[in-house]
Amino acid sequence: MARHLRECRGGSAYRDAICGGYLVRPHSCHVRLCPDCERARATRLVERFDALAAAMAHPRFWTLTIPNVPAGGLEPGIDVLIEAMRHLRRRAILDGGPCPADHRATAFDELDTGAHHPSGDAVEPCAHPRHRRDLAAAGQCRCARCIPVEVIRAGQRVTLTGCPRCTHAAVVGGVYAIEVTWSSEHGNWHPHAHVLCDAPWIRWGEMRDAWRAVTCDAIRRAERRQQGESGRVLPCPHHADERGLATDGCRGASVVWVENVPGAPGSPERLAAVRETLKYVSKGLLDEAGRLLPGAGPSELAELLLAIRKRRLVAGWGTFRNVHDDDGESLDPAEYLVGPDVPPSLVGLPRRCPLCHAEALWELPVEVPRRACRPLGGGILTWQPPPAGRA
């Protein structure tokens, strides 16, 4: 790894024979904790997501957290976070469908019987009986758990339970990025997820309850795996106190944050939200000068490196489903030099020179130190040869 990090300090400078300018392709060590490589990766992701985010009708930015994990437990903590995100995407609050929450709908009249049902604000909340026998004695229950609703899924008519006046619209698409920060005050890890999605209005309390449920189940499943047990976990009612925090044995997390993404498509505000979602993961363990935060040492650095190694820390769904943070992405032959006829050292270079914007004629590269290069913006580096007398 040390050898790769040393090689990361340089780059290959390609001269365009047409304009004489140099394009530098930095060497990548492919180490997730390398600030230079992570910054370049984040730049590529921002460029890739910016066009999709610009087309969002209702961009929302969510931050979802799990309880802090102690030093030495980061890898299972990230497992819990990723599993919770996977199950959250399957819930009606994101996938669409009848809302399973215990509330009543707005006032409505039944078409078949003509019965009038007042809104949830005008009646006492329904205390859903635990057993069917008690339900029969109490009469027909009108809570969201008992009302059958027919929906169409994959062309099939499926009967579900949920409030007929509260049906979540599906999220069009979104992307989440896993970030890990180090708490110097408590000496533990804080894994969390940033989510940028094109979503309708979602009540913050419902998202908090849904996140508490999926994180509780994910934590209990992870504990069973660590103990060598298998099978389904026992159901948890996921109760919460008046502040919305888990109680009565629930292990879920209730800390979520949401904000609208300001700005018009393509504006600096919209681009800043994309950058916030996709910022590089090593930021959480290093200060602005690149030094380790107080309380973090080589063991924590190694733990973070092993925990995120060979993981997909950025994933999308819906309109973002084919976008991820893998380095081996396919290149468009119309824009980049690819194919069997291209020399290996030139594969992946742009067909047009980013300096003169004309079709380029690239020469074989020369090796240059990265500190001698200067940025042009958009993740592009250039290099100027020293004068002949100083070469």
Side-chain angles (χ1 to χ4, degrees), residues 233-282:
V233 297
L234 296 176
C236 174
H238 307 303
H239 289 160
D241 58 18
E242 62 277 2
R243 298 176 299 170
L245 301 179
T247 186
D248 294 339
C250 180
R251 308 283 301 279
S254 301
V255 181
V256 300
W257 175 262
V258 63
E259 58 181 321
N260 288 327
V261 177
S267 64
E269 295 83 1
R270 184 73 63 90
L271 188 61
V274 180
R275 287 174 177 163
E276 177 68 16
T277 306
L278 305 173
K279 57 190 175 183
Y280 44 96
V281 71
S282 61

Side-chain angles (χ1 to χ4, degrees), residues 90-141:
R90 299 173 183 170
R91 287 192 161 234
I93 196 169
L94 294 185
D95 193 41
C99 177
D102 287 332
H103 62 81
R104 288 175 180 261
T106 56
F108 70 100
D109 296 323
E110 289 191 47
L111 298 179
D112 51 352
T113 63
H116 175 75
H117 298 278
S119 68
D121 297 331
V123 296
E124 292 294 329
C126 178
H128 178 75
R130 180 176 292 272
H131 302 290
R132 291 183 179 273
R133 180 180 55 192
D134 300 331
L135 176 61
Q140 178 63 31
C141 179

Side-chain angles (χ1 to χ4, degrees), residues 264-311:
S267 64
E269 295 83 1
R270 184 73 63 90
L271 188 61
V274 180
R275 287 174 177 163
E276 177 68 16
T277 306
L278 305 173
K279 57 190 175 183
Y280 44 96
V281 71
S282 61
K283 178 195 74 66
L285 194 62
L286 306 175
D287 60 15
E288 295 181 355
R291 296 185 298 265
L292 289 173
L293 293 175
S299 59
E300 286 73 27
L301 184 64
E303 180 185 3
L304 177 59
L305 178 62
L306 294 176
I308 64 178
R309 180 173 178 265
K310 295 184 178 181
R311 283 184 184 269

Side-chain angles (χ1 to χ4, degrees), residues 315-336:
W317 74 95
T319 54
F320 289 75
R321 62 185 178 275
N322 293 326
V323 186
H324 47 74
D325 63 341
D326 292 346
D327 291 330
E329 56 180 295
S330 58
L331 299 176
D332 185 0
E335 298 183 7
Y336 297 92

Side-chain angles (χ1 to χ4, degrees), residues 314-391:
V314 176
W317 74 95
T319 54
F320 289 75
R321 62 185 178 275
N322 293 326
V323 186
H324 47 74
D325 63 341
D326 292 346
D327 291 330
E329 56 180 295
S330 58
L331 299 176
D332 185 0
E335 298 183 7
Y336 297 92
L337 298 176
V338 294
D341 298 333
V342 179
S345 59
L346 302 182
V347 170
L349 289 177
R351 292 187 177 275
R352 290 187 172 272
C353 175
L355 289 84
C356 66
H357 306 290
E359 187 171 356
L361 181 59
W362 299 112
E363 299 177 350
L364 294 179
V366 294
E367 299 301 315
V368 298
R370 187 178 292 191
R371 65 177 180 272
C373 305
R374 61 182 179 88
L376 292 179
I380 300 174
L381 292 178
T382 187
W383 173 73
Q384 184 67 32
R390 299 175 55 186

Side-chain angles (χ1 to χ4, degrees), residues 73 75-77 80 219-229:
E75 185 172 1
V80 166
I219 290 173
R220 292 187 298 134
R221 279 192 292 265
E223 291 177 347
R224 287 177 62 88
R225 287 194 297 267
Q226 290 179 352
Q227 297 170 1
E229 302 177 1

Side-chain angles (χ1 to χ4, degrees), residues 35-267:
D36 291 332
C37 293
E38 282 295 282
R39 192 178 297 110
R41 182 188 69 89
T43 301
R44 292 196 304 270
L45 287 172
V46 168
E47 293 175 351
R48 203 184 315 169
F49 281 119
D50 187 33
L52 293 175
M56 284 185 174
H58 306 287
R60 308 279 191 258
F61 182 73
W62 289 87
T63 300
L64 308 173
T65 71
I66 64 172
N68 286 14
V69 297
L74 179 59
E75 185 172 1
I78 295 180
D79 289 337
V80 166
L81 183 58
I82 293 177
E83 182 176 353
M85 282 300 308
R86 184 169 62 250
H87 284 271
L88 180 68
R89 287 161 45 191
R90 299 173 183 170
R91 287 192 161 234
I93 196 169
L94 294 185
D95 193 41
C99 177
D102 287 332
H103 62 81
R104 288 175 180 261
T106 56
F108 70 100
D109 296 323
E110 289 191 47
L111 298 179
D112 51 352
T113 63
H116 175 75
H117 298 278
S119 68
D121 297 331
V123 296
E124 292 294 329
C126 178
H128 178 75
R130 180 176 292 272
H131 302 290
R132 291 183 179 273
R133 180 180 55 192
D134 300 331
L135 176 61
Q140 178 63 31
C141 179
R142 299 300 302 178
C143 78
R145 296 182 184 178
C146 293
I147 302 176
V149 178
E150 289 188 343
V151 298
I152 303 298
R153 282 190 176 179
Q156 302 293 327
R157 186 178 297 274
V158 181
T159 301
L160 305 173
T161 56
C163 178
R165 294 301 189 204
C166 182
T167 300
H168 288 291
V171 172
V172 177
V175 58
Y176 72 86
I178 303 298
E179 184 183 359
V180 179
T181 56
W182 171 260
S183 173
S184 300
E185 180 181 358
H186 301 97
N188 53 22
W189 298 102
H190 177 53
H192 53 282
H194 293 303
V195 183
L196 179 66
C197 57
D198 189 0
W201 183 83
I202 299 176
R203 191 164 61 92
W204 174 83
E206 284 193 62
M207 177 64 83
R208 178 198 59 192
D209 296 342
W211 183 245
R212 182 175 59 248
V214 295
T215 51
C216 174
D217 293 341
I219 290 173
R220 292 187 298 134
R221 279 192 292 265
E223 291 177 347
R224 287 177 62 88
R225 287 194 297 267
Q226 290 179 352
Q227 297 170 1
E229 302 177 1
S230 59
R232 303 184 63 179
V233 297
L234 296 176
C236 174
H238 307 303
H239 289 160
D241 58 18
E242 62 277 2
R243 298 176 299 170
L245 301 179
T247 186
D248 294 339
C250 180
R251 308 283 301 279
S254 301
V255 181
V256 300
W257 175 262
V258 63
E259 58 181 321
N260 288 327
V261 177
S267 64

